[in-house]
Amino acid sequence: MPGVTFPGGVRADGPPAALSDPVRLAAVVATGLLDTGPEPEFASLAPLAATVTGCGRAFITLVDDRRSFWKSCVGVDATQPTSGRTM
């Protein structure tokens, strides 16, 4: 992203280097939330985020080493990103 500086720089494939941090990746896995179904606690967070920020869309997202997993979203008719982009 032109004009954006990330602490730790960026990986050769473009995303922030922090996405590859082993401690962060272990924490994401440890949540046990990847590839799980909807849960009321998370389903209520996306609409709250949209309201607080005044945006029509909001996402509760977990990012592992290869993809983005939407735990909850509002304002789009989808459950996962469709771009096919992996991390």
Side-chain angles (χ1 to χ4, degrees):
M1 290 187 270
V4 177
T5 303
F6 297 101
V10 296
R11 300 184 328 202
D13 59 344
L19 289 176
S20 298
D21 177 55
V23 174
R24 188 196 70 78
L25 291 171
V28 169
V29 171
T31 67
L33 294 172
L34 290 170
D35 300 319
T36 60
E39 296 178 47
E41 297 84 1
F42 292 97
S44 65
L45 289 176
L48 176 62
T51 299
V52 168
T53 61
C55 296
R57 297 178 181 169
F59 308 87
I60 306 302
T61 307
L62 295 126
V63 180
D64 67 9
D65 60 335
R66 55 186 163 62
R67 48 119 185 205
S68 176
F69 173 72
W70 295 357
K71 183 64 178 167
S72 175
C73 66
V74 66
V76 295
D77 189 21
T79 56
Q80 294 301 310
T82 59
S83 68
R85 182 174 175 160
T86 58
M87 295 294 158

